[in-house]
Every structure is written in C-alpha cells, then in structure tokens.
Amino acid sequence: MVALVAVMVIVGTAVAVRLYRSYGDPTYQPEVVTWANLSDTRVSVTFRVRVPTGGSAVCVVRARSREGVEVGSEEVRVIAAPGQRRPTITHELAVTGRAIVGEVPRCRAAG
C-alpha cells in the first residue's frame, strides 16, 4: 500500500512539472504589439515574447471575427538571437473569415 502511494506521488509530481513547463511558465510571456492587414483571408500579427536568453518558444497566434469566433489559428516557432530575451515576430495568419483582431494567447518552451 505504501509503495502504491509513493508511485502515485511520483507520477503526479512528474505530470504537474510537465504541465507547468508547457502552460504555466511565466518565462514565455507573449505581448501583442499590433495587428494589421485585416481582411477576409489574412491578418498580420506582430508580437514579442520573453524567452530565456538565446532560447526559443512556440506561440499560438489566432484571429477572431467581430462575433468572437476564431477564424484562424496557428502555432509559430520563435527563435531568439544569441543574447536576445525578447524577440519580436510578425506572422501572416491565414483566416477563414473577416478578422477584426489578432491575438497571442499563450507561448511555451519549444521542444
């Protein structure tokens, strides 16, 4: 019984650490600078993300319609130059309907 509890604690800790690294690490904090070129087919989203020096991240870039419906979404890999902590990226996102806003809701460690 004690061995089963110990195994459950170890597995639970491993899962918690993995989830924190993927979704909870404040190191990978995105900030939208601007969105432009809103159309029925594309939106241009410029954003920066905080990463460890020279590191990389994967960010979700998405667009929403006036009704709040997601009309486009894509994962974008961001690679910082050596010594850089806040790379700025402009990404052209294909959309399926008229977009009125571009967002970057989350980033995580690339890997």
Side-chain angles (χ1 to χ4, degrees):
M1 182 64 141
V2 174
L4 179 60
V5 171
V7 168
M8 289 177 63
V9 168
I10 291 170
V11 169
T13 301
V15 169
V17 167
R18 178 153 172 84
L19 288 172
Y20 178 79
R21 286 182 180 162
S22 294
Y23 302 106
D25 192 344
T27 303
Y28 300 92
Q29 182 65 42
E31 174 189 356
V32 173
V33 175
T34 187
W35 61 87
N37 304 328
L38 302 172
S39 74
D40 293 338
T41 59
R42 305 200 75 66
V43 63
S44 177
V45 181
T46 300
F47 67 98
R48 69 178 60 101
V49 60
R50 187 179 326 137
V51 298
T53 303
S56 61
V58 174
C59 298
V60 174
V61 177
R62 71 180 177 197
R64 292 190 178 271
S65 69
R66 180 174 306 281
E67 294 77 25
V69 176
E70 184 177 285
V71 292
S73 179
E74 190 174 347
E75 286 194 343
V76 177
R77 186 174 180 103
V78 177
I79 301 172
Q84 188 179 29
R85 286 192 43 96
R86 293 183 53 100
T88 300
I89 301 296
T90 298
H91 181 71
E92 293 287 326
L93 179 65
V95 296
T96 59
R98 182 77 174 172
I100 64 159
V101 66
E103 305 171 319
V104 183
R106 68 184 171 276
C107 295
R108 61 177 165 73

